Amino acid sequence: ASMGRTVVELFYDVISPYSWLAFEALCRYRHIWNIDLRFRPAFLGGIMQQTGNKPPAMLPKRGEYMLKDMKRMAKYYQVPLRMIPDAFQHIMGTSSLTAMRFITAIDMTNPQYLEPLSREFWMRFWSQHEDISQPENLLVVAQQAGLSPELSQKALEMISSPPVKDRLKDTTTEALKYGAFGMPAVVAHYDGEPHLFFGSDRLELLGSVIGEKWLGPVPS
């Protein structure tokens, strides 16, 4: 890291819509704040399981609220996230494990594609409401993100390999070690210690802690 830059890690899973909001906002602040942003693809399912957390939609009233909240947040954050009435069935019926392993494989082999690839997964799942769990769909997402067929095919072959599985497990464990219980988990390394912030609506607080000014979700 360059001198004096605060390392900010974003632990995320593409099944999490709030992670998308935090991802885009932090990408915008990368050149405004004195931070070194690091993307840490992890597995939300593992975090929920290890901490005993439950998806918000398990509580019907909370689910109803979340649909409205996401609509407002998408507009406020200017992220093309579209909620559909059966969004929760859509989430509950999808495992992001394969997608997160695929993203991890790319992170290990061609990290320059990590940002566009992650964004394309959110676009596909949260904007187009398409499947992200089948191998052929992973390849479509990779193509959209600008990866060559060779790279995509190689990543696809890697998803069942121990190094990729272990890397995703390790990153997930690291998030848990910092105290994460959901996504997004943002960890700022400031003043010699890690500071955990949960959710996409705590970036103002993150700025305050690391001595940076929050200019809204779309700083121009």
Side-chain angles (χ1 to χ4, degrees), residues 8-217:
V8 174
E9 298 183 89
L10 170 66
F11 292 90
Y12 67 93
D13 185 318
V14 294
I15 199 117
S16 154
Y18 290 104
S19 290
W20 191 11
L21 301 176
F23 173 89
E24 296 298 358
L26 285 170
C27 281
R28 293 165 190 160
Y29 273 90
R30 217 174 2 193
H31 305 299
I32 297 174
W33 285 357
N34 192 25
I35 59 172
D36 177 9
L37 180 59
R38 302 195 182 158
F39 301 119
R40 306 296 310 278
F43 181 48
L44 180 56
I47 286 185
M48 299 299 253
Q49 198 188 343
Q50 290 293 315
T51 57
N53 195 355
K54 303 269 186 293
M58 298 291 272
L59 188 66
K61 283 291 172 207
R62 200 171 164 195
E64 274 171 43
Y65 174 78
M66 191 177 157
L67 283 173
K68 293 182 187 134
D69 188 48
M70 289 304 322
K71 240 187 204 123
R72 293 188 293 217
M73 292 286 272
K75 196 175 166 188
Y76 181 52
Y77 275 67
Q78 291 181 27
V79 172
L81 196 156
R82 297 184 308 117
M83 289 307 268
I84 45 173
D86 61 350
F88 299 119
Q89 285 76 353
H90 187 50
I91 307 177
M92 298 310 224
T94 301
S95 169
S96 62
L97 186 58
T98 316
M100 294 316 296
R101 280 182 181 159
F102 186 80
I103 290 170
T104 299
I106 290 298
D107 188 23
M108 292 167 79
T109 54
N110 297 87
Q112 71 273 27
Y113 287 112
L114 184 58
E115 183 186 332
L117 182 68
S118 301
R119 184 176 283 116
E120 282 303 330
F121 269 104
W122 275 304
M123 285 295 281
R124 185 170 173 88
F125 192 73
W126 284 107
S127 213
Q128 296 145 6
H129 307 292
E130 300 277 355
D131 174 84
I132 56 163
S133 58
Q134 296 309 307
E136 62 273 21
N137 295 324
L138 300 178
L139 293 174
V140 172
V141 175
Q143 189 188 352
Q144 294 289 121
L147 278 81
S148 70
E150 296 76 37
L151 277 185
S152 313
Q153 199 54 51
K154 186 182 164 206
L156 195 56
E157 285 159 18
M158 286 174 70
I159 56 180
S160 49
S161 72
V164 167
K165 288 179 171 178
D166 291 345
R167 167 78 166 259
L168 184 59
K169 260 199 205 100
D170 293 347
T171 307
T172 306
T173 302
E174 219 176 304
L176 286 162
K177 202 181 72 200
Y178 286 129
F181 51 88
M183 297 273 189
V186 180
V187 178
H189 298 270
Y190 186 73
D191 239 2
E193 53 177 319
H195 302 258
L196 170 74
F197 300 87
F198 169 66
S200 53
D201 55 352
R202 284 291 180 271
L203 302 178
E204 187 172 348
L205 189 59
L206 160 70
S208 160
V209 168
I210 66 172
E212 295 283 357
K213 196 168 166 44
W214 175 249
L215 308 162

